[in-house]
């Protein structure tokens, strides 16, 4: 890939409406998903890859030996949650891939626009004075202006 991302992208009103409808449907179908705060996430006992194998084996063994399991253990709920996890993960992977492509496209589109703007700004610097565009070029160029640091700004 060159220094400028090669991307061409536009959407019709029909496509945008279909995308929005699909997202609304996904949000509706995934209404049972939970949202956790950072503190809640941090406090939860995590099930990693190695732990998952342990959990699946233990749940399976408990299912094969129900006489060992008191009602307070809620084995049936855990079995149902494992099944839901198995159903959810392939969809999560697809959504993550789509999210990555959307983020990459956002970056590539932003880069292409930025490259054009930088080229245009360079042209304005060179030829803008002769065209009466100096004031406009200066206002656009404020993005590059360095502001002097004040002691108050450093303290903040």
């Amino acid at each position: 890939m060159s220094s400028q991302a090669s991307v061409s992208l536009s959407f019709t009103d029909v496509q945008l409406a279909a995308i929005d409808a699909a997202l609304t449907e996904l949000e509706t179908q995934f209404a049972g998903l939970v949202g956790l705060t950072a503190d809640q996430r941090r406090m939860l006992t995590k099930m990693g890859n190695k732990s998952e194998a342990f959990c699946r084996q233990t749940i399976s063994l408990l299912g094969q030996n129900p006489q060992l399991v008191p009602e307070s253990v809620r084995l049936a709920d855990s079995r149902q949650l494992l099944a839901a996890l198995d159903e959810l993960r392939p969809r999560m992977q697809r959504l993550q891939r789509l999210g990555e492509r959307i983020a990459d496209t956002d970056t590539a589109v932003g880069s292409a626009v930025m490259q054009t703007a930088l080229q245009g700004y360079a042209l304005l610097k060179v030829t803008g004075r002769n065209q009466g565009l100096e004031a406009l070029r200066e206002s656009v160029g404020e993005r590059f202006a360095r502001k002097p640091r004040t002691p108050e700004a450093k303290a903040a």
Side-chain angles (χ1 to χ4, degrees):
M1 187 177 264
S2 69
S3 64
Q4 182 171 343
S6 175
V7 63
S8 176
L9 183 68
S10 64
F11 298 100
T12 66
D13 289 342
V14 172
Q15 286 175 306
L16 291 173
I19 291 166
D20 290 340
L23 290 171
T24 299
E25 181 62 20
L26 283 172
E27 291 167 344
T28 300
Q29 296 304 320
F30 281 127
L33 298 179
V34 299
L36 301 172
T37 65
D39 287 340
Q40 290 171 324
R41 203 174 293 115
R42 201 172 18 259
M43 295 183 69
L44 288 175
T45 304
K46 313 296 187 299
M47 183 178 74
N49 293 335
K50 290 180 181 177
S51 299
E52 183 174 345
F54 160 78
C55 292
R56 288 182 184 278
Q57 289 174 342
T58 302
I59 299 297
S60 176
L61 286 171
L62 291 175
Q64 294 169 17
N65 298 284
Q67 72 279 7
L68 302 175
V69 184
E71 287 185 33
S72 62
V73 172
R74 300 177 65 177
L75 180 61
D77 289 348
S78 291
R79 292 172 96 173
Q80 185 272 324
L81 288 172
L82 274 176
L85 191 63
D86 291 339
E87 295 166 342
L88 184 62
R89 282 193 175 154
R91 281 100 189 150
M92 180 178 67
Q93 290 169 346
R94 288 178 65 190
L95 287 169
Q96 284 174 330
R97 281 193 307 268
L98 182 60
E100 287 174 12
R101 288 179 50 213
I102 289 170
D104 287 348
T105 301
D106 180 79
T107 300
V109 166
S111 175
V113 170
M114 186 67 178
Q115 288 293 325
T116 301
L118 288 170
Q119 290 170 352
Y121 180 70
L123 288 171
L124 287 172
K125 283 174 42 177
V126 172
T127 62
R129 289 187 183 129
N130 299 336
Q131 304 295 320
L133 299 172
E134 184 65 19
L136 290 173
R137 186 208 48 88
E138 286 177 5
S139 70
V140 170
E142 287 180 14
R143 181 241 188 248
F144 300 106
R146 291 190 178 161
K147 297 186 168 93
R149 289 192 166 205
T150 61
E152 298 84 30
K154 289 180 183 177

